[in-house]
Amino acid sequence: MIELQKVCRTFTVGDQQVAALRDVDLRIDAGEYISIMGPSAPASPRCSTCWACSTGPVPGTYLLDGGDVTALNDEQQARVRREKVGFVFQAFHLVPRLTAAQNVELPMILAGIPSEERKSRVRVLMQNYGLSDRADHKPDQLSGGQRQRVAIARATVMNPPCCWPDEPTGNLDRNTGWEVLKLLEGLLEQGISLVVVTHDAEIAARARTARYTCWTGASFPTNESKK
């Protein structure tokens, strides 16, 4: 599903150059459950956006679902993100003026999917995620767990082959966080690859394959263990 070959990524922080990725070789197969763990809060999302095709061209080769996305233009990257990767964020990033159902529907509107099909998909997801009675509520009327479930529904409404949650439980209490994590893990039954970025070792250990890095520019992964 995802294959990186000698991928590098350097960021400028003040007057310093920070190597977030250095000659990375990584393969994530379809339906695989991967956790990526590191102590550096700034580096983690930057690496995630690089791998999830949310940044510009990078040195090396980057294959996503069989296609080379190393040097796509902005329009092509947007299409790949819309169709190939479902993003779930720590801060939810829901549109405040839209209802829960409208937030879930938004990617399909941008993709030009007909209204009848959009409504049908939204209805099924809202029901599956226990949100039917919250469909007309705006984000500020929802709990943290409900907002994250809406975000997951939005991330998966386009049926992407890969879901990329970046610290998806970071803004939730422990119990709600585990509920959200189990919901994400249910995507594996649909053959969706799940790549969870986390700083929580207990969450990382749930993955069938756990890959760790300290985000210091060392070759990745530095350690690999199978559950």
Side-chain angles (χ1 to χ4, degrees), residues 41 57 71 75 112 119 129 164 184 212 226:
E75 182 177 351
K119 302 301 182 184
Y129 290 173
W164 203 291
L184 287 167
Y212 300 88
K226 289 187 178 296

Side-chain angles (χ1 to χ4, degrees), residues 25-110:
D25 293 322
L26 175 66
R27 179 187 174 114
I28 301 173
D29 293 325
E32 190 172 7
Y33 186 3
I34 293 289
S35 64
I36 298 176
M37 185 180 178
S40 173
S44 169
R46 286 175 176 173
C47 293
S48 297
T49 55
C50 172
W51 297 336
C53 201
S54 294
T55 186
V58 296
T61 301
Y62 174 18
L63 304 178
L64 177 60
D65 198 20
D68 190 343
V69 297
T70 306
L72 297 180
N73 60 36
D74 290 345
E75 182 177 351
Q76 291 169 328
Q77 281 197 355
R79 181 173 182 177
V80 168
R81 289 194 301 270
R82 184 174 67 236
E83 297 178 356
K84 301 294 185 180
V85 184
F87 296 95
V88 180
F89 303 97
Q90 177 178 349
F92 316 127
H93 293 313
L94 301 177
V95 181
R97 62 184 178 83
L98 299 182
T99 66
Q102 289 170 337
N103 267 281
V104 176
E105 184 182 13
L106 185 58
M108 294 186 290
I109 294 176
L110 298 176

Side-chain angles (χ1 to χ4, degrees), residues 68-221:
D68 190 343
V69 297
T70 306
L72 297 180
N73 60 36
D74 290 345
E75 182 177 351
Q76 291 169 328
Q77 281 197 355
R79 181 173 182 177
V80 168
R81 289 194 301 270
R82 184 174 67 236
E83 297 178 356
K84 301 294 185 180
V85 184
F87 296 95
V88 180
F89 303 97
Q90 177 178 349
F92 316 127
H93 293 313
L94 301 177
V95 181
R97 62 184 178 83
L98 299 182
T99 66
Q102 289 170 337
N103 267 281
V104 176
E105 184 182 13
L106 185 58
M108 294 186 290
I109 294 176
L110 298 176
I113 293 176
S115 176
E116 184 176 346
E117 182 178 351
R118 297 199 310 263
K119 302 301 182 184
S120 176
R121 286 198 204 179
V122 170
R123 185 167 54 252
V124 169
L125 281 176
M126 299 299 278
Q127 181 176 354
N128 289 347
Y129 290 173
L131 293 165
S132 295
D133 59 344
R134 294 292 184 268
D136 295 328
H137 289 60
K138 292 185 177 180
D140 63 359
Q141 299 173 309
L142 303 173
S143 68
Q146 289 169 342
R147 277 179 279 177
Q148 195 60 296
R149 279 185 278 159
V150 171
I152 295 171
R154 180 185 60 183
T156 57
V157 72
M158 291 292 293
N159 300 314
C162 179
C163 183
W164 203 291
D166 192 346
E167 295 288 353
T169 65
N171 282 344
L172 306 175
D173 64 74
R174 195 67 173 173
N175 288 337
T176 304
W178 284 118
E179 291 175 1
V180 165
L181 191 61
K182 290 177 182 178
L183 186 63
L184 287 167
E185 291 172 348
L187 300 175
L188 297 167
E189 298 176 4
Q190 304 173 34
I192 295 176
S193 300
L194 187 61
V195 184
V196 179
V197 177
T198 182
H199 297 116
D200 189 321
E202 191 174 358
I203 291 176
R206 291 177 66 90
R208 296 194 180 96
T209 303
R211 302 174 189 263
Y212 300 88
T213 177
C214 58
W215 306 105
T216 57
S219 296
F220 183 88

